[in-house]
Every structure is written in structure tokens, then in C-alpha cells.
Amino acid sequence: MAIDVVMPQMGESIFEGTITKWLKKPGDKVERDEPLFEISTDKVDAEIPAPAAGVLKEIKVGEGQTVPIQTIVGVIDSDGAAAAAPAPAAQPKAAAVPASAPAASAAKPAPAPPAPVPAAGPAAPPRRPGERIHSSPLVRRLAKENNIDLATVSGTGAGGRISKKDILEVIQGGASAPPGVTVMPSPSAAPAPPGVSGAQVHVTMETAVPRERIYFGKYELQPMSVMRQRIAEHMVASKRVSAHVYSIDEVDMTRVVMLRSRSKEEFERRHETKLTFMPFFVQAVVEGLRAFPVLNASVDGTTVVLHKDINIGMAVALDWGLIVPVIKNADEKNLLGIQKMLNDLAERARTKKLKPEEVQEGTFSITNPGVFGGLFGLPVINQPQVGILGLGTIEKRPVVIDDAIAIRSMCYLSLSYDHRVVDGAIAHQFMRKVKETLEGWSEPVL
């Protein structure tokens, strides 16, 4: 019996996904719940399990393609009879220029022929005033960035929903745009560089300098992954939207370092989980947000949303990018509870097991460049939040205490905050509260 494999809905606000990798090929045997393919959405990357045991009979959607939810992407023969089916067309890959090639051959790339203008979809039916326009957050963002009125775009999805494909056709093919649609010229519509002919360049990615200043000498082309593109879009949008200001303070972590050193072995034996420095920082941030709730906020246009819940986003570095899982209601958890949740979220982030809701609804974020030896960093605000704390490395340094030089375990903290909402006085008071909590730590660990 043939079993359809469909693109799952990975959250209420997610209506499409991109297949980044098939883990099986046609003819391969699969077990029920065995990872079958990987997808990337606006919210999270994840491995999708096989819905049934059998043989992968056919792959209908190839790697790199974005399709709406519930689209059939493959077929499993549950009887185990592998039917011959052609593998999906290979996705165009960037070809590396041989090192022996003359520099001049890559210095001036020949313009590729203009991409064919997509055919215009069916004319949008007239919408009544105030009628709801069905679209995903990604579609609305693309429309806003390109000055497109969604009311004039025809949707080809279920119930007239405007899909990513619909908005991309309007953006990339100005000739096919319906009357009244304003389309800003996009640098990404320029001819593709040599070696990536036919590759799709994401419409919101911008080329800041002329191409002849990019392609020169010997080089290798490496297309951005879907996750890398989403990170780039999010960071550029944040710098464009928020008025970033930075405050830096120095914290004496000696008390915490000594406490952790004395307790970590017993903590791990008793609770079967390692004790890191991160839960100390999380609890100190919680105290700071309690004292200065304006930093536990989001911005919606000209409205400041002051959150009652304290949900701390933790930036996790992955081999293929960055993701920010969220510790929900961090103010209701003790040190042990925070540590266990940190370890669980980080592990599942690295194995692509996170659920979309676990990377949503953050109210404040923490990032830790110090784990890689960084003295401190100036992180970009995670929209729509108004603050993010960067942690530097903890290292011993000479400091002056009561007119005497002492060796202490010191750490730099950097706060990036949105000056539209948070003033410098509040930011520095928040930092002082975090500093005092860490330096005067009194909560027992065991």
C-alpha cells in the first residue's frame, strides 16, 4: 500500500517549509518514526520521521524546494515493494573554480541571461473592505520589505491564501505584478554570478557593493543555507528597525566560580546533569528584569508590550548556524530547573528535535561568546525584543580591592538595548542589578 509523506505543519503560524536534505533515497528501506528528511521553516530546523515502515518509493519534492504544508513530498510503499522511480533532479550546486584557473577568468563574470519572467497568476478577486487576507508571517514580511499591498496579490493557496511562491512571483517579475502593486527594485534580481546559473537568490538578501568588487582572483562559491539566509534577514531587519545602544560592565565572578567548583561533582552525581555557569546568569537576569520590567518587553509599531512572563531566549551555536530556544517562565524555576532545561534545549537544538513553540515567545535573550574565549561581544537584538545580554569569558585578572591588588575571576557583560524604548539610565541600573546578584550570590546550589 502506498503511504503519502506530507510536509507537516510545524506550528500554528507556519504554512510552508523547505526540504533541506533527504536522509533516504528511492528504494531505501525505512522504519516507522525513522528520520526521513530535514526541513527548515521560519521558526526551526527539524528532522521529520517516516509515517510508516516500508520502502521509499518516490521523492516528489527535491532538496532546496519550498512547498506549502500538507503537500505530498514523497511516497512510501508499506508492502516493501520498491517501485522504480527516478530520483529528484539534482539541485544546482556552486562549482568551485579550480585553483589553477587564471585569475582573469573569474575577475569579470559574464552576465547571465535575464531570468524568465514568471507567468502571472490568476487575477485577484476583488476583496471587500476589511476582508482578512490569509498569508504567513514570512509573506507579510516580504510584502512589507518590498512595498507590496497584499490586497492586490492573488493567492493560489487553499481558500485564496497568499503563499511564498505568489509573493516571490510578484517581487521577481515586475511585469507580472497586478495593477496597483508597487515593487521596489531588488539588487538580488541582478544576473547570477558564474557557477550559480539558475540558483535562486533570496529576494531579501542585498548586495551592498558592485559585483565586480566581489568576484575577483581565485574564489569558491558557497550558497547560503536556508537557515543562514533566515539569520541574515533577521539580523539586517533588527539593525534597520531598532536603535541599537550598548552598555558594558564588569562582574567579579569569584564567589560563583568557587561555589560551582565546590559543588559541581556532587551536583552531577545527585542530579545526573552538569552544572555550568549559565543558570547563574539566567537567574541574575531574571532579578534584573523583575526590577526593570521595561527590558522585558516587545515593540509593536508605536506600542510597547510589557510582558508579565519572563521567557529567556538562549542563543545556541550550531555547526550550521544559530538558534535561540526559549526557557519559558524562567522566573518560576530554581537553579536546578534552569540547568536541566538549558541542557535539554541545547541538546535537542543540536539534534534538530526542537518544536516550533520552543523557539517562540521569548521576552529577553542571552548570548555567550565567552564560551569561545571572547572577551565580550555587542550582540544584535532579537526582534521584537528590546534587549539582549552578551557574556564574555570568565578569566582571572588583577583588580584593586580596598587599595590592594587581588586576583579575581572577572567577566565582562554587554547589554544591547533598543533606545526607542530603553534609556541609558535604565540600562545601566539593570546591569548593576545583574552585577550585584552575581557578586553577592547567596542561593544554595545543592
Side-chain angles (χ1 to χ4, degrees):
M1 184 175 64
I3 305 294
D4 290 335
V5 180
V6 301
M7 175 65 70
Q9 182 166 14
M10 299 294 290
E12 291 184 0
S13 63
I14 298 176
F15 300 98
E16 59 191 4
T18 301
I19 294 183
T20 56
K21 184 180 181 181
W22 279 96
L23 304 175
K24 298 288 184 178
K25 60 181 182 294
D28 285 353
K29 184 178 180 180
V30 296
E31 299 294 335
R32 181 181 177 86
D33 296 328
E34 180 183 9
L36 184 59
F37 61 96
E38 296 179 357
I39 67 169
S40 179
T41 71
D42 288 352
K43 304 297 183 184
V44 68
D45 283 7
E47 290 181 345
I48 305 303
V55 172
L56 182 59
K57 178 180 179 182
E58 183 182 359
I59 291 177
K60 292 180 176 289
V61 178
E63 294 178 359
Q65 290 184 258
T66 300
V67 293
I69 60 172
Q70 302 307 318
T71 298
I72 298 175
V73 299
V75 178
I76 291 176
D77 183 357
S78 62
D79 296 327
Q91 298 300 308
K93 294 186 179 180
V97 176
S100 59
S105 65
K108 295 182 179 180
V117 176
R127 287 187 170 93
R128 296 185 298 275
E131 182 180 356
R132 182 181 176 187
I133 299 173
H134 297 277
S135 62
S136 69
L138 172 62
V139 168
R140 293 193 291 273
R141 186 173 77 238
L142 292 176
K144 181 178 179 181
E145 291 174 351
N146 291 276
N147 287 346
I148 295 175
D149 182 2
L150 286 178
T152 63
V153 179
S154 57
T156 59
R161 175 178 293 279
I162 300 173
S163 68
K164 179 181 177 181
K165 178 176 178 290
D166 297 328
I167 194 69
L168 290 182
E169 285 183 352
V170 173
I171 294 170
Q172 294 176 335
S176 65
V181 176
T182 303
V183 182
M184 294 177 62
S186 173
S188 60
V196 289
S197 177
Q200 179 181 347
V201 181
H202 204 273
V203 294
T204 57
M205 300 297 290
E206 300 175 359
T207 302
V209 297
R211 288 178 179 269
E212 59 268 20
R213 290 175 56 189
I214 302 175
Y215 301 97
F216 55 85
K218 297 183 178 75
Y219 59 83
E220 176 182 321
L221 300 178
Q222 187 180 70
M224 284 187 179
S225 66
V226 174
M227 174 178 272
R228 194 77 258 165
Q229 292 180 40
R230 299 297 180 265
I231 292 171
E233 293 167 16
H234 196 60
M235 296 298 97
V236 170
S238 182
K239 295 292 283 189
R240 185 187 300 126
V241 169
S242 293
H244 280 65
V245 183
Y246 310 96
S247 295
I248 298 173
D249 209 335
E250 190 175 27
V251 179
D252 186 345
M253 294 289 293
T254 304
R255 183 191 292 261
V256 172
V257 169
M258 294 176 64
L259 178 61
R260 174 181 175 270
S261 180
R262 290 196 306 264
S263 308
K264 62 181 181 179
E265 290 184 3
E266 176 63 18
F267 187 92
E268 184 172 357
R269 187 192 66 79
R270 186 180 299 183
H271 303 298
E272 298 183 346
T273 189
K274 291 184 177 180
L275 177 63
T276 67
F277 287 111
M278 188 56 71
F280 295 93
F281 287 110
V282 171
Q283 287 206 312
V285 166
V286 166
E287 293 303 314
L289 295 176
R290 281 174 172 159
F292 303 97
V294 72
L295 276 151
N296 193 54
S298 300
V299 179
D300 179 18
T302 56
T303 302
V304 179
V305 181
L306 297 172
H307 298 288
K308 301 301 182 182
D309 299 327
I310 297 181
N311 301 336
I312 305 295
M314 300 299 310
V316 177
L318 308 172
D319 292 339
W320 56 93
L322 182 76
I323 198 166
V324 187
V326 177
I327 303 174
K328 302 288 181 68
N329 303 115
D331 54 323
E332 299 176 2
K333 295 175 172 60
N334 61 12
L335 194 89
L336 173 61
I338 292 173
Q339 181 68 80
K340 283 190 171 183
M341 182 161 284
L342 280 169
N343 294 344
D344 174 59
L345 290 172
E347 176 61 25
R348 289 192 291 113
R350 296 186 178 100
T351 55
K352 299 185 178 181
K353 303 295 184 184
L354 285 176
K355 300 174 183 178
E357 57 267 25
E358 292 174 322
V359 295
Q360 299 179 30
E361 299 181 358
T363 61
F364 187 90
S365 294
I366 300 176
T367 184
N368 185 15
V371 73
F372 304 108
L375 194 60
F376 63 84
L378 301 176
V380 178
I381 297 169
N382 188 16
Q383 295 296 320
Q385 300 166 21
V386 299
I388 179 171
L389 186 71
L391 312 178
T393 187
I394 300 174
E395 62 179 6
K396 290 185 176 181
R397 292 199 294 270
V399 296
V400 177
I401 299 178
D402 296 330
D403 293 331
I405 296 176
I407 304 298
R408 310 290 287 180
S409 295
M410 306 299 293
C411 174
Y412 285 112
L413 304 182
S414 59
L415 175 68
S416 305
Y417 56 97
D418 191 338
H419 212 347
R420 296 177 302 166
V421 177
V422 183
D423 289 330
I426 297 296
H428 284 283
Q429 290 177 74
F430 167 82
M431 293 284 275
R432 177 61 57 178
K433 182 65 176 178
V434 173
K435 175 184 173 78
E436 290 173 350
T437 302
L438 289 168
E439 293 183 342
W441 190 271
S442 58
E443 182 180 334
V445 172
L446 298 173

